[in-house]
Amino acid sequence: MSKEATIPSARQVELLEAAYQYALAHGLADLSLRPLASAIGSSPRVLMFLFGNKDGLVKALLARARTDELTVLDHLAQAGQPIGLAPAVEQIWAWLATEEHRPLLRLWAEAYTRSLVEPDGAWAGFARATVNDWLDVLATCQPQPERDSEDGATRRTLALAVLRGALLDLLATDDERRASAAVHHQLALLRVVLTDSRRNADRPARQP
Amino acid sequence: MSKEATIPSARQVELLEAAYQYALAHGLADLSLRPLASAIGSSPRVLMFLFGNKDGLVKALLARARTDELTVLDHLAQAGQPIGLAPAVEQIWAWLATEEHRPLLRLWAEAYTRSLVEPDGAWAGFARATVNDWLDVLATCQPQPERDSEDGATRRTLALAVLRGALLDLLATDDERRASAAVHHQLALLRVVLTDSRRNADRPARQP
DNA sequence: GCGCTACTGAAACAGTCGTGTCAGTCGCAA
DNA sequence: TTGCGACTGACACGACTGTTTCAGTAGCGC
């Protein structure tokens, strides 16, 4: 019987929640047990007892952040409804750009790059996991047959890239006007080629 | 006279270069003096003497990485030549996607997000600085009057977002095919709206 | 020779880290 | 009341951290 398979006790989820709030405020990079424990009214001894070791605690925190992110994504994109990629991007961006979500997104970015540099240990696979999480959600927003086509995969990869690139910019510069303008510029681009392809469907392209 | 204003000695640049190679391989997050020093054939004592303290060393390493990045960008985009945003993106992406540049880009990503979480200390302002670096280079690739227009700023912000979003994806999944396809899909998008706007210039749009 | 600057080795400082040990204190079921 | 499982406090261990102290050594202008 592995220790991770045991269901979390009430005290465990309580302390995890407190530790999560602390991590949102202070980051994960130089997280250490004693300051964390004293901040959330606990002790290193108790954290060790409940999470096994520090790695277990960090893993639990990352898992906590990931579920946060996933529930939000599922909600936003109205998962299962093929509303199309562009509306999904618009909704997701509106959520990303909200100021009160910055701590979570900073934490996410930190865990992401950390897992790139240090592929072993508690962070292992976090980056790859979130890429797949987001791509999956975006996929459910695409109508068939686009969803299963290779072109569809390229489209949602691009959509994800725009979202994350703009997010990185936003986190660094706090210039929401410019970042949002870029995202909406992309949405306008997509709209143009859509109407263009419809027009071309009505009338064959001019011969040069 | 501040210590940072002194020109670096020969020994200093030699050790900085060695430490830079070490950081590329091991990351900056849990860099510590003793392992680094022994790996590059030096001692903590000497590093302290040459760089003042650990913060000074890290700052020097970040500055070193930044100049690396900037010289590359200047080279690639043929700085000063208004070749247009799309060709610039294409060239920059070709460089980013090259496998041997991954260590540098991982280091860059690490420093970027770290400076978001911990805005003081050695990392201060690194993220904001690189955003501006890249935006400036992209700006010099834009022809006038696009460059100075607000729309131009939006366009290069979007270009940067696509590049960095795709880069994050690439670093996490190592799926160069998909990431490159996304970037080229965007370039195709831009090409379509260009020809579209040219066609519309010839012939007024249909009335609905 | 002297003095000066640049650099270096060995050892120790005080502090923090994750972790382990030993002893307890609760609440609750039998 | 007893017993048991969940949880906790106090403290110490060894390893590691950045940094400092003291004592040098090599090269070079004079």
Side-chain angles (χ1 to χ4, degrees):
Chain A
M1 299 290 152
S2 70
K3 284 186 179 177
E4 302 90 26
T6 60
I7 58 167
S9 72
R11 182 65 175 145
Q12 187 163 351
V13 306
E14 181 190 351
L15 280 185
L16 179 59
E17 207 57 29
Y20 181 49
Q21 296 305 318
Y22 182 89
L24 284 177
H26 298 82
L28 282 173
D30 44 14
L31 185 73
S32 82
L33 292 185
R34 268 171 266 247
L36 163 64
S38 77
I40 65 177
S42 180
S43 75
R45 177 69 188 80
V46 172
L47 295 175
M48 296 287 295
F49 173 77
L50 290 174
F51 298 97
N53 53 20
K54 193 193 174 182
D55 254 37
L57 173 61
V58 173
K59 274 184 193 163
L61 285 172
L62 289 180
R64 176 65 181 78
R66 184 161 173 238
T67 63
D68 235 23
E69 170 192 281
L70 272 186
T71 56
V72 155
L73 276 183
D74 278 1
H75 242 249
L76 271 182
Q78 304 162 24
Q81 301 302 312
I83 59 175
L85 220 45
V89 165
E90 190 165 13
Q91 290 182 37
I92 294 179
W93 175 253
W95 188 86
L96 290 175
T98 306
E99 187 134 14
E100 66 226 37
H101 300 145
R102 299 280 157 90
L104 169 59
L105 295 171
R106 267 194 294 266
L107 188 72
W108 170 85
E110 190 187 1
Y112 191 99
T113 57
R114 180 78 183 241
S115 87
L116 296 180
V117 176
E118 200 173 346
D120 298 328
W123 319 78
F126 182 83
R128 188 179 242 105
T130 65
V131 171
N132 289 332
D133 286 345
W134 289 56
L135 283 180
D136 286 350
V137 171
L138 289 177
T140 65
C141 296
Q142 293 177 295
Q144 293 287 14
E146 177 189 345
R147 188 188 305 173
D148 288 342
S149 71
E150 184 154 356
D151 187 62
T154 300
R155 284 177 134 87
R156 56 181 180 261
T157 298
L158 175 59
L160 180 56
V162 170
L163 284 171
R164 288 191 165 169
L167 174 61
L168 276 190
D169 193 324
L170 178 64
L171 289 176
T173 65
D174 240 330
D175 189 345
E176 202 219 296
R177 257 178 49 84
R178 190 172 45 82
S180 286
V183 173
H184 289 122
H185 188 88
Q186 175 74 356
L187 294 174
L189 260 183
L190 292 173
R191 241 176 277 125
V192 167
V193 303
L194 255 184
T195 60
D196 182 67
S197 64
R198 281 210 203 93
R199 185 163 51 220
N200 288 350
D202 297 345
R203 177 187 46 80
R206 291 196 311 173
Q207 302 301 331
Chain B
M1 299 294 150
S2 70
K3 284 186 181 179
E4 302 91 25
T6 60
I7 58 167
S9 73
R11 183 68 176 141
Q12 185 163 353
V13 307
E14 181 190 349
L15 281 183
L16 179 59
E17 208 57 29
Y20 182 49
Q21 296 306 318
Y22 182 89
L24 285 177
H26 298 83
L28 282 173
D30 44 15
L31 184 75
S32 84
L33 294 185
R34 264 172 270 246
L36 163 65
S38 78
I40 64 178
S42 181
S43 76
R45 176 67 186 83
V46 173
L47 294 176
M48 296 290 295
F49 172 76
L50 290 175
F51 299 96
N53 53 20
K54 192 192 175 184
D55 254 38
L57 173 62
V58 173
K59 275 183 192 163
L61 286 171
L62 291 180
R64 175 68 182 77
R66 185 164 173 233
T67 63
D68 234 22
E69 169 191 283
L70 271 187
T71 55
V72 155
L73 275 184
D74 279 1
H75 243 248
L76 271 181
Q78 303 161 21
Q81 300 304 313
I83 58 176
L85 220 45
V89 165
E90 192 165 13
Q91 289 182 37
I92 294 180
W93 175 252
W95 188 87
L96 291 176
T98 305
E99 188 133 14
E100 66 226 38
H101 300 144
R102 300 283 157 88
L104 169 59
L105 295 171
R106 269 195 292 265
L107 188 72
W108 170 85
E110 190 187 0
Y112 190 99
T113 57
R114 181 76 183 241
S115 87
L116 296 179
V117 175
E118 200 172 343
D120 298 328
W123 319 77
F126 182 83
R128 187 180 243 106
T130 64
V131 171
N132 289 333
D133 287 343
W134 289 57
L135 283 180
D136 286 350
V137 172
L138 289 176
T140 66
C141 297
Q142 294 177 294
Q144 293 285 17
E146 178 188 343
R147 188 188 304 172
D148 289 342
S149 70
E150 184 153 358
D151 187 61
T154 300
R155 284 177 135 87
R156 55 179 179 262
T157 298
L158 176 58
L160 180 57
V162 169
L163 284 172
R164 288 190 165 169
L167 174 62
L168 275 190
D169 193 323
L170 178 63
L171 289 177
T173 65
D174 239 327
D175 189 346
E176 203 219 296
R177 257 177 49 82
R178 190 171 47 81
S180 285
V183 173
H184 289 121
H185 187 89
Q186 175 75 357
L187 294 174
L189 261 183
L190 293 173
R191 240 175 278 127
V192 167
V193 302
L194 256 183
T195 60
D196 183 68
S197 64
R198 282 208 202 93
R199 185 163 52 220
N200 287 349
D202 297 343
R203 177 189 47 79
R206 292 197 312 172
Q207 301 303 329

